[in-house]
Amino acid sequence: MELLWDGNNVKAGDSQSITALVKGCYGENKEGVILLEPEEALYLVDVRGAECRDAKGKKLSFNALASKFKEKKLLARYLTYKDWRDRGLFIRPEAEERGTYGRSVALEYKRGELVLDVPDFEGVFFADDLITTVDNAEVGGVLYNEYWLGQMGTYKAAHRGTISKFDVFETLLLLDSGKLELDVKRKDVFSEAKKRIEYFEDVYNVYWEWREAGYVVKTGFKFGTHFRIYFPGAKPGGGKGWTHSKHVLHVFPRKSSLIISEWARAIRVAHSVKKTFILAIPGKGKVRKGHVDFALYHRKGQGVETPKNGKPSFLMLSLSEDEYLSGEELAASLKTCAERELDLLVAIADRESSVTYYLIKRIGLPGSRYEYYEIEWMQP
Amino acid sequence: MELLWDGNNVKAGDSQSITALVKGCYGENKEGVILLEPEEALYLVDVRGAECRDAKGKKLSFNALASKFKEKKLLARYLTYKDWRDRGLFIRPEAEERGTYGRSVALEYKRGELVLDVPDFEGVFFADDLITTVDNAEVGGVLYNEYWLGQMGTYKAAHRGTISKFDVFETLLLLDSGKLELDVKRKDVFSEAKKRIEYFEDVYNVYWEWREAGYVVKTGFKFGTHFRIYFPGAKPGGGKGWTHSKHVLHVFPRKSSLIISEWARAIRVAHSVKKTFILAIPGKGKVRKGHVDFALYHRKGQGVETPKNGKPSFLMLSLSEDEYLSGEELAASLKTCAERELDLLVAIADRESSVTYYLIKRIGLPGSRYEYYEIEWMQP
């Protein structure tokens, strides 16, 4: 296959190359000439044995050609493009797929409610540990057994001891319910937590929203996330043995910026323990559209969908391991996806050019103010 | 059991209580009276049904007593103390165990060497992706197959494409070897990496130290760590199929401070994929002694070791999920352990009072300038 670098673009003009490119859904046909995107041209040179020459007939190596395109995150885009193509699947520039495709359906989560029926009680707050202890075993027992608030005795061994411990989220919720009388003021509890837990206000707002919707929300420490959650009505005993959570909940504040390797680590732990990872993006933020890189065609029955016979399944955000992503950027990319009614597929090229995929699907939680998404590791 | 709060300490004076306390290895015997540490007194009240009264005979509840001791991280100390006791094991204040115990033995790692035998070659550096591409397939092939430097084609599919990619650590190592000629200067590569990767200099120094010792050091992205490593002589093919790493390597710079939940998350991923987690603490730092909380007696044969018949096995550092720990602090605690010839057991109480243990053992890597430790999740 013969390609030409004209000083601005890579293109193909001979009929044999054009036929091959059209068949493979590469490039854009403009007045009898195929114009290629940088990633497409690099792929053809790297993998398909294409030869690219400049106007003087000089052959350009991969590096010589890539050097023409030293644009923003070229390699992250190229490596994720290559990975999708190597799987025998089709991929097009996102700018060519700006319709609406009806392929994103929100996952509905049911709503319950939280009505606390306990007498008033007292507690002592330990600022250094962000924990409240309550030595009223009767109230502590009801809160633990009926609402799964606090921890009697020891985790999974409520009989070991007579004291209940409440974490700082539970402490604030109980203060706000008017049931708990503490040795310190609410604002002091809040400010201690703010000192220690990053974006505490955002994290607490998410906690409150799920508790208010009747869910049980406990620490996700064992699973590397802010919280683990149980559906409304869950109790520690659950009737038969211990109740296991099936979902973890992690808060990604709009203003926080996370290196991709850390972002992925949180999802990996959840995946390794077979729990569904829910990402919360609290707050409203600016509602502008965000960046996406490619439109992805996926499988269909035994074959594959193509730009000729089908429509895209996802939009791809191409990232590399050492890149940063903020909650605001992700929220904006997700907004673009929502408008085109496609789910977002985050593709991360690591330092070894191996690509990991995370599929992000919208969650509908009735009455919620924030955005929630299920994220799952996917092998396309 | 009767305890007395004298305004400064909790103590026991009646013969029946003294007998029970001595038998259980609680407190310190001072002139016929047993003086109790706060954690010991709280445990006796919480779990063992002890009654504590003040000088006027008024009974003190758990919270009333705990309020007397609102000292630094009391609950983290109490909950980890309680967990160890609840396992039927003995635990004493660290101040009472300041001998040397000969129970910490460094794990020896062998040393190899790195001698690069390749001709000079050229590459192009992509600052935005922190990756160098090399389109000299011959040199790229030797570097990949013989030294496992860079990635030919695609991860686990070296034949897919003709281009090699080198991450920023490999790029610097190859620049320093004098073999690689790049389109940008070394200092520009370094400064781009510094902009993006936190404590890059520390991370690169650790990378360099293991590579120099002959180890293969590749990205640990899939395992949530900075690197994964292979012993000297490892090659991607390894003779039969793919070579799997057995160790991951994570850098904890002295100046970095990490919330415990993030620290634990990194170890959890490694554990879930059954890899040994190696923690690197680069640099020299101030060599002062650091904090530890308790001396721990462990099992012996079918029974348990006690302060009467044995010696401690570990020193415990008691932490809570929402606490911060710096590399410097951990290094200092480890120094204290080294002096007493005991391994460090990091005990983390989560918001639900469940305690997770991580055992930290010294590694001996001949010729290394930095400190390395194996960390393993442990159920005592």
Side-chain angles (χ1 to χ4, degrees), chain A residues 43 45-48 61-64 66-67 69-79 82-83 85-86 122-135 148 150-155 157 160-163 165-170 183-184 195-198 218-228 230 242 250 259-262 264-266 268-269 272 320-324 348-356 358, chain B residues 43 45-48 61-64 66-67 69-79 82-83 85-86 122-135 148 150-155 157 160-163 165-170 183-184 195-198 218-228 230 242 250 259-262 264-266 268-269 272 320-324 348-356 358:
Chain A
Y43 186 74
V45 169
D46 183 8
V47 178
R48 300 287 298 271
S61 70
F62 179 94
N63 271 1
S67 297
F69 306 120
K70 275 204 160 181
E71 62 194 31
K72 192 161 154 50
K73 55 174 195 160
L74 175 69
L75 282 191
R77 284 171 57 94
Y78 172 61
L79 293 171
K82 176 177 188 290
D83 192 80
R85 275 275 176 194
D86 281 353
E122 291 177 4
V124 172
F125 180 67
F126 292 84
D128 217 52
D129 302 282
L130 295 180
I131 283 179
T132 295
T133 57
V134 169
D135 56 11
W148 209 339
Q151 176 65 50
M152 272 297 279
T154 294
Y155 180 69
R160 288 291 315 174
T162 53
I163 311 305
K165 300 105 199 168
F166 297 87
D167 68 34
V168 72
F169 302 99
E170 293 167 329
D183 58 336
V184 297
K195 268 191 239 166
R196 298 268 288 286
I197 300 175
E198 267 196 314
K218 304 296 283 183
T219 177
F221 178 69
K222 288 194 168 57
F223 314 117
T225 52
H226 286 111
F227 304 112
R228 66 183 199 278
Y230 303 82
W242 185 253
H250 200 65
I259 193 160
I260 292 300
S261 48
E262 275 177 41
R265 190 186 296 151
R268 272 176 211 291
V269 185
S272 76
S320 73
E321 168 179 358
D322 293 312
E323 212 164 316
Y324 284 80
I348 303 170
D350 72 16
R351 294 184 199 132
E352 239 164 344
S353 74
S354 174
V355 179
T356 303
Y358 295 107
Chain B
Y43 185 74
V45 169
D46 184 8
V47 178
R48 301 286 298 271
S61 70
F62 179 94
N63 272 1
S67 296
F69 306 120
K70 274 205 161 180
E71 61 193 33
K72 194 163 154 44
K73 54 175 196 160
L74 175 69
L75 282 191
R77 285 171 57 94
Y78 172 61
L79 293 170
K82 176 176 188 292
D83 192 79
R85 275 275 176 194
D86 281 352
E122 291 177 1
V124 172
F125 180 67
F126 292 84
D128 217 53
D129 302 283
L130 296 180
I131 282 180
T132 296
T133 57
V134 169
D135 56 11
W148 209 338
Q151 177 65 51
M152 274 295 281
T154 292
Y155 180 70
R160 289 291 315 177
T162 53
I163 311 306
K165 300 106 197 167
F166 297 88
D167 67 34
V168 71
F169 302 99
E170 293 168 329
D183 58 336
V184 297
K195 266 191 242 166
R196 298 267 289 285
I197 301 175
E198 266 197 316
K218 305 295 284 182
T219 176
F221 178 68
K222 287 194 168 56
F223 314 118
T225 52
H226 287 110
F227 304 112
R228 66 184 199 275
Y230 303 83
W242 184 253
H250 200 65
I259 193 161
I260 292 299
S261 49
E262 276 177 39
R265 190 186 297 151
R268 272 176 211 291
V269 185
S272 75
S320 73
E321 167 179 0
D322 294 312
E323 211 163 316
Y324 284 79
I348 304 170
D350 73 16
R351 294 184 200 132
E352 238 163 344
S353 74
S354 174
V355 179
T356 303
Y358 295 107

Side-chain angles (χ1 to χ4, degrees), chain B residues 42 144 176 185 200 304 315 317:
Chain B
L42 291 171
Y144 178 65
D176 292 344
K185 294 203 178 87
F200 178 73
V304 299
L315 291 172
L317 183 60

Side-chain angles (χ1 to χ4, degrees), chain B residues 104-109 206 209-210 225 229 247-254 263 267 270 275-284 286-288 326-339 342-346 358-365 368-377:
Chain B
S104 171
V105 178
L107 305 158
E108 294 302 330
Y109 276 56
V206 168
E209 182 145 298
W210 287 80
T225 52
I229 65 173
H247 299 75
V248 294
L249 175 62
H250 200 65
V251 183
F252 192 18
R254 285 171 195 270
W263 193 84
I267 304 169
K275 302 210 187 285
T276 301
F277 186 97
I278 300 176
L279 189 79
I281 305 185
K284 279 297 167 198
K286 301 161 199 152
V287 281
R288 57 178 163 70
S326 74
E328 195 71 86
E329 284 168 328
L330 181 63
S333 297
L334 286 162
K335 186 166 180 344
T336 298
C337 291
E339 282 172 4
L342 292 172
D343 289 330
L344 182 66
L345 195 58
V346 173
Y358 295 107
L359 181 61
I360 310 195
K361 291 178 175 169
R362 280 184 301 132
I363 285 176
L365 177 69
S368 71
R369 292 158 296 167
Y370 305 142
E371 293 168 36
Y372 300 104
Y373 300 90
E374 278 191 10
I375 304 188
E376 62 185 73
W377 178 68

Side-chain angles (χ1 to χ4, degrees), chain A residues 84-372:
Chain A
W84 199 260
R85 275 275 176 194
D86 281 353
R87 291 168 189 270
L89 301 171
F90 290 93
I91 171 169
R92 300 287 301 154
E94 65 83 19
E96 291 178 20
E97 312 281 1
R98 295 204 168 159
T100 53
Y101 302 97
R103 284 202 154 159
S104 171
V105 177
L107 305 159
E108 294 302 330
Y109 277 55
K110 66 175 178 180
R111 193 179 175 86
E113 57 174 2
L114 176 69
V115 184
L116 279 182
D117 184 16
V118 286
D120 294 354
F121 60 101
E122 291 177 4
V124 172
F125 180 67
F126 292 84
D128 217 52
D129 302 282
L130 295 180
I131 283 179
T132 295
T133 57
V134 169
D135 56 11
N136 179 333
E138 201 176 321
V139 174
V142 172
L143 286 170
Y144 178 65
N145 290 308
E146 298 303 317
Y147 304 97
W148 209 339
L149 279 163
Q151 176 65 50
M152 272 297 279
T154 294
Y155 180 69
K156 289 194 184 179
H159 61 283
R160 288 291 315 174
T162 53
I163 311 305
S164 293
K165 300 105 199 168
F166 297 87
D167 68 34
V168 72
F169 302 99
E170 293 167 329
T171 300
L172 287 166
L173 181 130
L174 289 169
L175 282 173
D176 292 345
S177 77
K179 304 286 185 184
L180 171 62
E181 191 180 314
L182 214 56
D183 58 336
V184 297
K185 294 204 177 87
R186 184 193 193 279
K187 73 174 173 52
D188 296 327
V189 173
F190 203 88
S191 72
E192 283 296 333
K194 266 186 92 159
K195 268 191 239 166
R196 298 268 288 286
I197 300 175
E198 267 196 314
Y199 302 101
F200 178 73
E201 209 153 343
D202 279 339
V203 180
Y204 181 63
N205 286 341
V206 168
Y207 171 85
W208 172 256
E209 183 145 299
W210 286 80
R211 271 288 184 186
E212 201 190 17
Y215 286 74
V216 171
V217 189
K218 304 296 283 183
T219 177
F221 178 69
K222 288 194 168 57
F223 314 117
T225 52
H226 286 111
F227 304 112
R228 66 183 199 278
I229 64 173
Y230 303 82
F231 279 83
K235 294 179 184 183
K240 31 186 185 197
W242 185 253
T243 306
H244 289 281
S245 65
K246 293 190 181 63
H247 298 76
V248 294
L249 175 62
H250 200 65
V251 183
F252 192 18
R254 286 171 193 269
K255 284 183 182 163
S256 85
S257 189
L258 215 56
I259 193 160
I260 292 300
S261 48
E262 275 177 41
W263 193 83
R265 190 186 296 151
I267 304 169
R268 272 176 211 291
V269 185
H271 179 75
S272 76
V273 289
K274 299 187 173 61
K275 303 211 185 285
T276 301
F277 186 99
I278 300 176
L279 188 79
I281 305 185
K284 279 297 168 201
K286 301 160 198 155
V287 282
R288 57 177 163 70
K289 289 181 204 178
H291 180 78
V292 290
D293 291 281
F294 298 104
L296 301 173
Y297 291 79
H298 202 216
R299 303 181 193 284
K300 191 176 190 178
Q302 298 299 307
V304 298
E305 237 174 331
T306 76
K308 286 166 199 156
N309 73 12
K311 56 184 184 177
S313 287
F314 318 108
L315 290 172
M316 182 193 262
L317 182 62
S318 303
L319 299 167
S320 73
E321 168 179 358
D322 293 312
E323 212 164 316
Y324 284 80
L325 182 70
S326 73
E328 195 70 86
E329 284 169 327
L330 182 63
S333 297
L334 286 163
K335 185 165 180 349
T336 298
C337 291
E339 281 171 5
R340 299 190 206 170
E341 295 172 10
L342 292 172
D343 289 330
L344 181 66
L345 195 59
V346 173
I348 303 170
D350 72 16
R351 294 184 199 132
E352 239 164 344
S353 74
S354 174
V355 179
T356 303
Y357 295 94
Y358 295 107
L359 181 62
I360 309 194
K361 292 178 174 169
R362 281 185 301 132
I363 286 176
L365 177 69
S368 72
R369 292 156 297 168
Y370 305 141
E371 293 167 35
Y372 300 104

Side-chain angles (χ1 to χ4, degrees), chain A residues 3-5 10 45 50-54 58-60 65:
Chain A
L3 305 178
L4 174 73
W5 166 251
V10 178
V45 169
E51 293 214 336
C52 184
R53 296 179 187 278
D54 65 14
K58 190 186 157 207
K59 190 179 154 188
L60 297 177
L65 187 59

Side-chain angles (χ1 to χ4, degrees), chain B residues 52-305:
Chain B
C52 185
R53 296 180 186 277
D54 65 15
K56 291 175 184 162
K58 190 186 158 209
K59 191 178 153 188
L60 298 176
S61 70
F62 179 94
N63 272 1
L65 188 58
S67 296
K68 311 280 188 200
F69 306 120
K70 274 205 161 180
E71 61 193 33
K72 194 163 154 44
K73 54 175 196 160
L74 175 69
L75 282 191
R77 285 171 57 94
Y78 172 61
L79 293 170
T80 53
Y81 176 95
K82 176 176 188 292
D83 192 79
W84 198 262
R85 275 275 176 194
D86 281 352
R87 291 167 189 271
L89 301 170
F90 290 93
I91 171 168
R92 300 288 298 155
E94 66 83 20
E96 291 178 20
E97 311 281 359
R98 295 204 167 157
T100 54
Y101 303 96
R103 284 201 154 159
S104 171
V105 178
L107 305 158
E108 294 302 330
Y109 276 56
K110 67 176 179 181
R111 193 179 175 86
E113 57 174 3
L114 176 69
V115 184
L116 278 182
D117 185 15
V118 287
D120 294 355
F121 61 100
E122 291 177 1
V124 172
F125 180 67
F126 292 84
D128 217 53
D129 302 283
L130 296 180
I131 282 180
T132 296
T133 57
V134 169
D135 56 11
N136 178 332
E138 202 175 321
V139 174
V142 172
L143 286 170
Y144 178 65
N145 290 308
E146 298 303 317
Y147 303 97
W148 209 338
L149 279 163
Q151 177 65 51
M152 274 295 281
T154 292
Y155 180 70
K156 289 194 182 178
H159 61 282
R160 289 291 315 177
T162 53
I163 311 306
S164 292
K165 300 106 197 167
F166 297 88
D167 67 34
V168 71
F169 302 99
E170 293 168 329
T171 300
L172 286 167
L173 181 130
L174 289 168
L175 281 173
D176 292 344
S177 76
K179 305 287 184 183
L180 170 62
E181 193 180 311
L182 213 56
D183 58 336
V184 297
K185 294 203 178 87
R186 184 192 193 280
K187 72 173 173 53
D188 296 327
V189 173
F190 204 88
S191 72
E192 283 295 334
K194 266 186 91 159
K195 266 191 242 166
R196 298 267 289 285
I197 301 175
E198 266 197 316
Y199 303 100
F200 178 73
E201 207 153 345
D202 279 338
V203 180
Y204 180 63
N205 286 342
V206 168
Y207 171 85
W208 172 258
E209 182 145 298
W210 287 80
R211 271 286 184 186
E212 201 190 18
Y215 286 74
V216 171
V217 189
K218 305 295 284 182
T219 176
F221 178 68
K222 287 194 168 56
F223 314 118
T225 52
H226 287 110
F227 304 112
R228 66 184 199 275
I229 65 173
Y230 303 83
F231 279 83
K235 294 179 183 183
K240 30 184 184 190
W242 184 253
T243 306
H244 289 281
S245 65
K246 293 189 181 64
H247 299 75
V248 294
L249 175 62
H250 200 65
V251 183
F252 192 18
R254 285 171 195 270
K255 284 182 184 166
S256 84
S257 190
L258 215 57
I259 193 161
I260 292 299
S261 49
E262 276 177 39
W263 193 84
R265 190 186 297 151
I267 304 169
R268 272 176 211 291
V269 185
H271 179 77
S272 75
V273 290
K274 299 187 174 61
K275 302 210 187 285
T276 301
F277 186 97
I278 300 176
L279 189 79
I281 305 185
K284 279 297 167 198
K286 301 161 199 152
V287 281
R288 57 178 163 70
K289 289 181 204 176
H291 180 78
V292 290
D293 291 281
F294 297 104
L296 302 173
Y297 290 78
H298 201 216
R299 303 184 192 283
K300 191 177 190 177
Q302 297 298 309
V304 299
E305 237 174 331

